[in-house]
Amino acid sequence: ARELREVRVLHVDGDVARIDVDGKTATLADDNRFYVPVNLAVGRNTVKLTAYNTAGDLIDAHFVRVLVKSTFQDLPEKYWAKDVIEEIATVGLVNGYPDGSFGPKRQINRQEMTTLLTRSKGYDLNEKQPSLFRDVSVKSWSKKYINAAFSNGLVQGYPDGSFKPAKDLSRAEGA
């Protein structure tokens, strides 16, 4: 999802009277910096900066890469793994929960770990493949990750044909 974020242009050389960011005119503030709200997604973004002089002539134009880091409301600033969690979320290995939390003190379950491992391996996902386990619903968000991990020998189910996706991961299973 794209969110409105503010882009600040901190340093400008020459006689710059106006800067546009992706076609939106930035406002020159009292601190001599240009500010403009731009829709950016978490992860990699590219924006076009164009600078104009007082006569309205184009001075320069550049494409700039902007990385927007994922954040979670329940990660304290000094949490030991905060930076690593935010980095792996930014590149899409983890997503957190729909309420915007990460749950750093929660036990991880089998479907969550399988999803993390499948994403880290870069396995192809087949959305249309039926569930390979009797207790993984065809509508489950994790079905495609569980199927891919099982098909690639990364995980196993139980002898009764189940996967137990919501079961907390044991240390033995995690190893």
Side-chain angles (χ1 to χ4, degrees):
R2 298 178 72 81
E3 294 183 27
L4 199 59
R5 301 182 191 273
E6 190 166 73
V7 172
R8 291 180 292 165
V9 180
L10 303 178
H11 179 73
V12 179
D13 287 328
D15 182 29
V16 176
R18 186 181 103 218
I19 290 183
D20 289 354
V21 179
D22 281 348
K24 293 181 182 178
T25 300
T27 307
L28 180 61
D30 293 337
D31 61 1
N32 268 352
R33 295 177 181 172
F34 289 89
Y35 296 87
V36 63
V38 178
N39 282 315
L40 299 172
V42 166
R44 297 178 188 159
N45 297 269
T46 302
V47 295
K48 183 179 181 182
L49 298 177
T50 49
Y52 301 89
N53 64 19
T54 52
D57 300 322
L58 177 67
I59 297 173
D60 204 354
H62 292 283
F63 285 96
V64 178
R65 289 187 217 149
V66 179
L67 180 66
V68 177
K69 201 171 173 182
S70 275
T71 58
F72 297 99
Q73 63 195 19
D74 61 338
L75 283 179
E77 198 57 44
K78 297 199 187 243
Y79 187 69
W80 67 274
K82 182 180 190 317
D83 289 339
V84 172
I85 292 168
E86 289 176 345
E87 287 168 13
I88 64 173
T90 299
V91 298
L93 287 180
V94 296
N95 292 332
Y97 295 97
D99 66 357
S101 67
F102 181 77
K105 295 180 181 179
R106 288 188 65 222
Q107 177 79 24
I108 191 167
N109 64 37
R110 288 175 49 85
Q111 68 188 339
E112 292 166 339
M113 179 56 92
T114 301
T115 299
L116 176 62
L117 293 171
T118 302
R119 286 178 178 162
S120 70
K121 292 283 192 178
Y123 292 144
D124 290 329
L125 304 175
N126 184 343
E127 303 270 350
K128 297 180 181 174
Q129 182 182 21
S131 177
L132 301 176
F133 297 96
R134 63 180 178 83
D135 61 341
V136 177
S137 164
V138 216
K139 296 179 182 180
S140 171
W141 65 268
S142 62
K143 176 196 64 125
K144 60 188 174 191
Y145 300 103
I146 294 168
N147 283 353
F150 178 75
S151 298
N152 285 282
L154 193 60
V155 297
Q156 297 177 345
Y158 290 93
D160 66 357
S162 68
F163 186 76
K164 298 183 175 52
K167 179 180 178 273
D168 286 345
L169 193 69
S170 70
R171 286 185 185 216
E173 291 170 320

